[in-house]
Amino acid sequence: MKCSFFYFCLFNLLEFHAMQEIGSNHAQSLGFSTDGFATTPTMRKMHLIWVTARMHIEIYKYPAWSDVVEIETWCQSEGRIGTRRDWILKDATTGELIGRATGFIPKANLMWNGCSKWVMMNQDTRRLQKVSDDVREEHLIFCPREPRLAFPEKNNKSLKKIIKLEDPAQYSRLGLTPRRADLDMNHHVNYVTYIGWVLESMPQEIIDTHELQSITLDYRRECLQDDVVDSLTSPEPIDGTGTVSEHNGTAREDADCPQFLHLLRVSCDGQEINRGRTEWRKKPAR
């Protein structure tokens, strides 16, 4: 499915919301449910919904005011372990690639290996379930016959494991609470909201001078309307050594591209909601 829209806001969360909306519109156009869950007949019969397990997004260029962006998305089979969804973002006028994202729906025991992922959850028990053959077959008829990946490169960044950010974090924003607009149809916090919460604890000097280049998020537990959330951020350690440079970010030859680790947790008991990793680049000269 392809869709074009006028980019009327420079805040990058709009791009993520557009990807989510187009994915939902694609599912609806294929005849899946219109309740916001994109569920198949078998899923509705078994009280199953999709939940996000991992999201990886790379942004190569931010559109300017009034630019028209084309977003293409598709779903496909991922062997015997489930299905996946990918996105490609292009400048509609020039055809220039400006962003990519990827996601797939794996078995529960593969939840934290590899690309951006989704899993099925039972609405009644709140437990994760494997993608059944019946559900997979309902998707297969709409999938490309030949595999097509938004990130076909071997060892691409979407495959990188995110280590847990340990206390004490260098930066924090405490006491975040969901708004009604942050909730999906199942009264969970929408996965795009987590991106905004991650950015809340970024150091202001990076926000002022850099722009987000890539983000990877692992979703560990559901977040509900009454939860209070803490956002923690620290520079990423160098190759797992636990040390960082004096610059606000991981020590690299290119100090203009800092990297950070992130953790969202429940304020009252410290339960891990989400862990993330971001890369940043210097803002282009205006």
Side-chain angles (χ1 to χ4, degrees):
M1 181 177 184
K2 292 187 178 181
C3 178
S4 298
F5 66 97
F6 285 94
Y7 197 90
F8 54 91
C9 176
L10 296 180
F11 187 45
N12 50 32
L13 286 184
L14 177 61
E15 207 162 325
F16 306 142
H17 280 293
M19 289 169 48
Q20 181 185 50
E21 180 178 357
I22 291 169
S24 297
N25 290 344
H26 180 218
Q28 182 175 332
S29 72
L30 297 179
F32 297 155
S33 66
T34 59
D35 58 5
F37 298 141
T39 53
T40 68
T42 299
M43 291 178 66
R44 292 193 293 277
K45 185 185 304 183
M46 300 176 64
H47 296 184
L48 299 174
I49 59 173
W50 298 120
V51 292
T52 310
R54 174 174 261 224
M55 176 64 67
H56 177 78
I57 302 169
E58 295 183 7
I59 306 165
Y60 310 123
K61 177 183 177 182
Y62 284 98
W65 185 275
S66 79
D67 281 356
V68 179
V69 175
E70 178 183 276
I71 300 180
E72 181 181 7
T73 184
W74 65 95
C75 56
Q76 61 190 317
S77 173
E78 181 71 17
R80 295 292 300 172
I81 66 174
T83 60
R84 62 179 293 145
R85 176 172 292 278
D86 293 79
W87 293 262
I88 288 179
L89 290 75
K90 293 182 178 180
D91 185 305
T93 302
T94 65
E96 178 185 3
L97 179 68
I98 62 175
R100 294 185 292 175
T102 184
F104 68 83
I105 306 156
K107 288 181 179 178
N109 62 350
L110 295 177
M111 221 176 138
W112 310 115
N113 300 326
C115 307
S116 172
K117 311 168 186 179
W118 297 63
V119 293
M120 288 197 309
M121 184 179 73
N122 187 289
Q123 285 182 284
D124 302 323
T125 66
R126 320 307 294 178
R127 293 181 180 273
L128 299 181
Q129 292 193 203
K130 296 180 181 180
V131 179
S132 68
D133 289 338
D134 290 341
V135 172
R136 188 179 295 108
E137 289 174 2
E138 288 173 328
H139 280 272
L140 281 178
I141 59 175
F142 303 108
C143 297
R145 293 186 177 181
E146 296 295 329
R148 182 188 177 201
L149 307 178
F151 295 94
E153 305 90 345
K154 185 177 180 180
N155 297 325
N156 62 78
K157 293 179 181 179
S158 70
L159 303 173
K160 186 172 182 178
K161 181 179 178 180
I162 303 174
I163 63 174
K164 184 178 179 180
L165 175 60
E166 301 294 345
D167 283 331
Q170 191 165 339
Y171 307 97
S172 64
R173 176 69 183 274
L174 309 181
L176 299 170
T177 56
R179 305 168 301 164
R180 289 180 180 175
D182 296 328
L183 304 179
D184 61 21
M185 299 291 291
N186 198 38
H187 304 292
H188 292 154
V189 172
N190 185 293
Y191 70 82
V192 178
T193 298
Y194 294 106
I195 299 175
W197 284 351
V198 162
L199 300 182
E200 282 292 327
S201 57
M202 280 294 299
Q204 188 61 46
E205 57 268 28
I206 296 295
I207 297 294
D208 291 341
T209 58
H210 291 68
E211 62 185 16
L212 185 62
Q213 177 173 287
S214 72
I215 182 168
T216 308
L217 297 176
D218 281 346
Y219 298 85
R220 298 286 171 156
R221 73 180 291 274
E222 56 187 336
C223 183
L224 304 177
Q225 185 174 10
D226 295 332
D227 287 333
V228 180
V229 177
D230 293 339
S231 174
L232 309 178
T233 292
S234 286
E236 184 176 26
I238 306 170
D239 298 327
T241 62
T243 59
V244 296
S245 70
E246 295 181 359
H247 182 78
N248 283 325
T250 185
R252 303 171 62 188
E253 291 184 4
D254 185 359
D256 289 338
C257 299
Q259 302 174 4
F260 292 85
L261 294 177
H262 308 274
L263 176 69
L264 298 179
R265 67 185 183 190
V266 180
S267 294
C268 63
D269 58 15
Q271 285 191 66
E272 185 180 14
I273 299 173
N274 180 292
R275 67 176 63 173
R277 180 177 181 271
T278 58
E279 295 184 353
W280 300 76
R281 60 173 173 254
K282 276 283 190 179
K283 290 181 179 178
R286 301 288 182 185

